[in-house]
Amino acid sequence: MVALVIAEHDNAALKGVTLNTVTAASQCGGEVHVLVAGAGCGAVAEQAAKIAGVSKVLVADAPHFADGLAENVAEQILAVAGAYSHILAPASAFGKNVLPRVAAKLDVAQISEITKVDSPDTFERPIYAGNAIATVQSTDNVKVITVRGTGFDAAAAEGGSAAVENVSAVADSGKSSFVGRELAKSDRPELTGAKIVVSGGRGMGSGENFKLLEPLADKLGAAMGASRAAVDAGYVPNDWQVGQTGKIVAPTLYIAVGISGAIQHLAGMKDSKTIVAINKDPEAPIFSVADYGIVGDLFEVVPALVKELG
Amino acid sequence: MKVLVPVKRVVDYNVKVRVKSDGSGVDIANVKMSMNPFDEIAMEEATRLKEAGKVTEVVAVTCGVTQAQETLRTAMAIGADRGVLVETTPEIEPLAVAKVLKALADKEQPQLIILGKQAIDDDSNQTGQMLAALLGWPQATFASKVVLEDGKVTVTREVDGGLETVALSLPAIVTTDLRLNEPRYVTLPNIMKAKKKPLETVKPEDLGVDVAPRLKTIKVAEPAKRSAGIKVPDVATLVQKLRTEAKVI
């Protein structure tokens, strides 16, 4: 049994969630290989080779892998799939986009967003926005899996010395092309990997008012997030959304400001180690999952909190 | 140009589901069922393309039990011209749905298939991508903007950290994210009109598709409960607790 992990990267560096996926792969019972499909991605392959527990890195380097187009990456995975019992990718926008294509072509089910490996063919995954946990067993000969990063510790980024092997790149599908990308520029940590997250909800009242949270995030070195209500209201960009259909986060500290706590939002953050809620409504559902709650006007509490942190 | 819109009947998103005491699944008897919200967005987008004169026919399709006809009627009230129900058990898996849809696409020959990115019951997020692979079509998942012109579709996608735009040759698959559009309210006259639109029922066997499940659900359990903590009177107490009790800052 050998598991193949599909590396997520930007051709310059490996994305952290790949490390969590390696941990899930190693729990599937055999060796772990990593596939890096990219353009000029040698540095990523070197990084992947150093991950503890990885025994081989396959590199497919071609211009048409530069932007992670699903059609091309899926074909490349299929080209090497024959040797593997398990194929895993992070349950990120990248992995969710690519991997079902691989499963369909192999004529196997995909097991999405696993949070636990019970045995090499049995996995746990949340359903109904995390309101139930299903334990599912796959009867297929190849298990195709996306991995929820928050369910697994990150494998050590250093310590391994895997062999790096070049594989021939599949041809460009020619059916899709990359037009452009607008990524938010931020000095803050990435939302899904951050140790501390400060999130705002509809209670913030406006996009302008989100500035109030910045000093708090600065002081704590936190990433910033939001509820769906705040995103729908146009206060902040879409990619800030934490919840069932947005980002799933599990930081050591999650501070929810002016968030009432709809089940869809709780689905995205209730695995956080410590949750703090600041809300003027003492009956808000967010308090039912918060370790520490402050009932009060966020426009007074947040500045006071910044001051208290010193 | 014809557009196919697959829709799914799911437990309404306002319902808090309960796990059955024998761990066999989630109790969906007597709970409100609705169209999956992402599919409503897909239906709305197809209808807008038709209203803009870029599309001539919109066909809604669903896989599920007989009552899923109601979901098709809702789709037709939004704007589908007709509906196809593929009668199956409610537990049909994404791969089987994708195979059914491929068979229908081979028959109907649409140029575009718009699907919701995920159903809010099993949260799989697979069907659109699987269908694209089976058909050998390009895909644009998690769409926040769709522009159909000059024989191609240009789609802005929601990705981690921002937005990405891809251009696809037709035929193609698009899956919708939350902010692609705001679905219209279905009006009574349109509900009445929808009742008169054609609705065809077929079985997977008629399409030559094997829908046998590949996954066995061993059990379904409640997630670990998170107990409510305490309310603290002021920020000084909060900071002290975070430092000395939780030790997270």
Side-chain angles (χ1 to χ4, degrees):
Chain A
M1 270 196 321
V2 186
L4 179 68
V5 169
I6 314 306
E8 180 166 353
H9 62 88
D10 60 5
N11 296 309
L14 202 63
K15 292 273 161 72
V17 68
T18 307
L19 301 173
N20 307 72
T21 310
V22 166
T23 300
S26 61
Q27 291 174 5
C28 291
E31 263 184 72
V32 178
H33 294 179
V34 173
L35 170 66
V36 178
C41 55
V44 179
E46 278 173 39
Q47 276 184 297
K50 287 185 192 146
I51 303 172
V54 172
S55 59
K56 195 200 268 186
V57 176
L58 305 178
V59 187
D61 203 320
H64 53 277
F65 294 135
D67 299 295
L69 289 171
E71 296 77 10
N72 294 338
V73 177
E75 277 308 313
Q76 187 63 52
I77 297 168
L78 288 163
V80 300
Y84 298 99
S85 60
H86 295 72
I87 300 173
L88 304 94
S92 55
F94 167 77
K96 287 172 176 179
N97 189 35
V98 170
L99 219 58
R101 286 188 81 102
V102 175
K105 293 291 261 196
L106 293 174
D107 193 26
V108 302
Q110 174 177 300
I111 306 127
S112 292
E113 299 226 16
I114 64 162
T115 49
K116 194 160 177 259
V117 176
D118 284 353
S119 76
D121 68 357
T122 306
F123 311 91
E124 293 183 19
R125 58 177 304 264
I127 54 174
Y128 286 94
N131 285 302
I133 307 294
T135 304
V136 294
Q137 185 176 33
S138 166
T139 57
D140 290 315
N141 51 5
V142 183
K143 314 326 179 203
V144 174
I145 297 165
T146 61
V147 176
R148 183 174 282 192
T150 57
F152 299 87
D153 293 332
E158 300 283 336
S161 56
V164 177
E165 185 184 302
N166 286 301
V167 296
S168 53
V170 298
D172 187 352
S173 82
K175 290 178 178 171
S176 62
S177 58
F178 178 78
V179 177
R181 188 175 282 138
E182 293 168 50
L183 295 186
K185 295 239 184 316
S186 171
D187 297 333
R188 298 186 197 285
E190 203 215 340
L191 186 52
T192 45
K195 294 260 187 299
I196 301 180
V197 173
V198 174
S199 273
R202 202 202 302 271
M204 296 305 300
S206 72
E208 188 64 25
N209 288 344
F210 260 77
K211 291 212 168 76
L212 185 76
L213 300 183
E214 286 175 6
L216 180 59
D218 288 342
K219 198 134 261 177
L220 295 168
M224 288 180 71
S227 69
R228 180 182 168 185
V231 177
D232 280 352
Y235 298 171
V236 291
N238 295 354
D239 62 291
W240 285 32
Q241 187 185 323
V242 172
Q244 179 187 16
T245 58
K247 302 250 164 60
I248 309 290
V249 302
T252 49
L253 174 61
Y254 187 89
I255 303 181
V257 183
I259 292 177
S260 63
I263 53 172
Q264 289 83 4
H265 184 74
L266 302 185
M269 46 65 82
K270 69 185 160 72
D271 292 328
S272 304
K273 185 166 173 278
T274 299
I275 297 172
V276 170
I278 299 168
N279 204 297
K280 65 175 187 231
D281 174 9
E283 303 300 320
I286 191 78
F287 287 120
S288 70
V289 298
D291 299 281
Y292 305 109
I294 291 190
V295 178
D297 181 353
L298 67 93
F299 297 98
E300 290 163 19
V301 175
V302 173
L305 180 55
V306 174
K307 205 167 154 215
E308 185 67 31
L309 286 166
Chain B
M1 179 188 299
K2 189 192 283 186
V3 176
L4 204 62
V5 181
V7 295
K8 185 177 185 184
R9 178 177 184 261
V10 298
V11 172
D12 186 87
Y13 92 106
N14 284 309
V15 173
K16 190 174 187 309
V17 295
R18 288 181 29 197
V19 172
K20 287 187 196 164
S21 53
D22 65 358
S24 65
V26 163
D27 193 359
I28 56 166
N30 305 318
V31 302
K32 187 183 175 200
M33 305 294 284
S34 297
M35 188 189 295
N36 179 44
F38 289 99
D39 303 348
E40 246 182 293
I41 294 169
M43 197 58 240
E44 175 68 30
E45 193 67 16
T47 305
R48 289 187 191 184
L49 287 171
K50 191 181 172 195
E51 287 166 350
K54 295 187 172 178
V55 161
T56 49
E57 189 185 23
V58 178
V59 181
V61 44
T62 192
C63 292
V65 294
T66 312
Q67 294 91 316
Q69 285 185 6
E70 294 160 18
T71 311
L72 287 176
R73 292 290 173 203
T74 307
M76 290 188 275
I78 296 171
D81 297 291
R82 58 191 172 91
V84 180
L85 165 66
V86 182
E87 253 184 315
T88 64
T89 60
E91 290 85 21
I92 185 169
E93 291 173 2
L95 177 64
V97 174
K99 288 179 180 179
V100 165
L101 295 174
K102 177 186 186 293
L104 284 172
D106 287 343
K107 197 173 128 196
E108 298 275 355
Q109 298 285 313
Q111 286 296 293
L112 188 63
I113 303 180
I114 311 180
L115 310 86
K117 74 166 181 180
Q118 81 191 59
I120 59 165
D121 48 6
D122 62 14
D123 286 332
S124 284
N125 196 332
Q126 299 173 5
T127 305
Q129 298 90 312
M130 285 184 157
L131 177 59
L134 295 179
L135 287 165
W137 292 7
Q139 70 185 42
T141 52
F142 326 143
S144 64
K145 190 178 170 200
V146 174
V147 179
L148 184 61
E149 58 190 8
D150 306 331
K152 62 174 189 183
V153 61
T154 304
V155 180
T156 304
R157 309 177 52 231
E158 295 200 16
V159 296
D160 299 335
L163 299 170
E164 179 181 298
T165 304
V166 292
L168 312 178
S169 60
L170 296 177
I173 301 279
V174 172
T175 80
T176 62
D177 216 315
L178 276 179
R179 283 160 284 264
L180 176 58
N181 60 49
E182 245 179 78
R184 67 196 64 190
Y185 285 102
V186 176
T187 61
L188 190 61
N190 283 336
I191 292 171
M192 299 311 288
K193 262 188 239 163
K195 286 186 178 164
K196 297 202 182 78
K197 291 182 178 175
L199 194 160
E200 179 193 356
T201 300
V202 295
K203 299 228 182 276
E205 305 87 85
D206 305 337
L207 300 165
V209 176
D210 172 14
V211 293
R214 305 297 187 80
L215 300 178
K216 197 169 136 195
T217 300
I218 309 283
K219 68 168 185 198
V220 174
E222 295 258 0
K225 279 259 183 313
R226 209 189 160 96
S227 49
I230 54 164
K231 298 235 169 75
V232 293
D234 50 46
V235 292
T237 318
L238 175 65
V239 170
Q240 185 252 326
K241 293 264 186 207
L242 290 175
R243 284 201 170 121
T244 59
E245 200 173 84
K247 298 191 174 70
V248 288
I249 57 171

